[in-house]
Amino acid sequence: MPNRTIITDFLLMGFSEQREFQILHFMVFLMMYLVMLIGNLLLIILVVMNNHLQTPMYFFLVNLAIVDLGSTTVTIPRSIASALMNIRKISYSECAAQMFFFLFFLSSDLFLLTAMAYDRYVAICHPLHYMSTMKLATCLQMAGGAWMVGFLNSAMNAGTLFSLPFCSTVIHQFFCEVPHLMEISCFDPKFREIWVVLLSTLLAIVCFMLIIMSYVKIFKTVLSMSSVASRQKAFSTCIPHLLVVCLLCGTGILSHFISNSGSSYNWDEVLAVIYSVIPPMMNPIIYSMKNKDIKAALWKLFKQRITNQNTKPA
């Protein structure tokens, strides 16, 4: 049996022990976090302040922005502070809380993307029934269900994982991530793989298949439209969502396979940044690029700010 001791702290190894790379880590992460923070907060403000954006699509988009804010705030500020002050230790309870909340937000993110795919399916395939199907109560139930299932999935993973003993305290990652915590647990590798598949991967596959099924029906409907303008309008509302889904799922799957292939930890860390930081940072940009409503609301907000500044008494 391996040596088992009571663990009070873990060591997050991060990207490098060299001070120059730690400063670079601090600067890059700080810039990405600020971009993510400003973009998602601005998106939430625009939707809340504009009545014409009070639709199911933007309701789910606000929930997605809140999830993105939560998932990055759980990991990035701690990593920024650690890189700046050269601190690698993280307490057992802080690591458990970080893993729980990150998995909670990440799971809720995937379920919200699934709900958004259903919303686009109803809007494009059954437009005459859209308002009666996607009522406020229905949207609240779908969003609440996404948050609840995300919470339950996170609680099961965190509860099971942190009930196990750990044979090491060294985590080769910049935050407490499930695969790396599984690697240092005193756990049979074969059973460990089955556990991960049953509690996490299976849910992700189900959500991904539901999204694929929705988009197969959406594309069939769009391609059967006779009007070019209608097809372009339908695609313009679907492509941003599809890009976000591909970015999140693609990097997550790639990270899983590279982690299991025994590659260097640096690749693991880079991929963790891609799937945990890049989607939350890019989501507001992707959804705003060709969205006339968001652009109009943003321009209206800037005009109000300029008007208010000009009307202030000297």
Side-chain angles (χ1 to χ4, degrees), residues 294-312:
I294 293 290
K295 290 180 180 179
L298 184 60
W299 177 243
K300 182 181 177 181
L301 180 64
F302 284 147
K303 283 175 67 177
Q304 287 178 348
R305 293 287 297 176
I306 293 171
T307 303
N308 292 337
Q309 288 180 355
N310 292 336
T311 55
K312 281 183 180 180

Side-chain angles (χ1 to χ4, degrees), residues 227-299:
S227 171
V228 176
S230 298
R231 288 200 297 266
Q232 289 178 344
K233 184 178 179 181
F235 277 127
S236 67
T237 62
C238 293
I239 295 301
H241 176 257
L242 204 54
L243 286 173
V244 171
V245 171
C246 292
L247 186 62
L248 179 65
C249 295
T251 54
I253 293 169
L254 186 61
S255 177
H256 174 74
F257 280 117
I258 288 182
S259 177
N260 290 339
S261 68
S263 63
S264 66
Y265 287 114
N266 286 337
W267 272 109
D268 261 2
E269 290 158 359
V270 170
L271 285 166
V273 172
I274 293 173
Y275 85 81
S276 64
V277 183
I278 300 300
M281 185 178 69
M282 292 300 297
N283 286 354
I285 299 172
I286 291 172
Y287 278 105
S288 303
M289 278 191 305
K290 292 187 177 181
N291 192 312
K292 294 181 180 178
D293 293 333
I294 293 290
K295 290 180 180 179
L298 184 60
W299 177 243

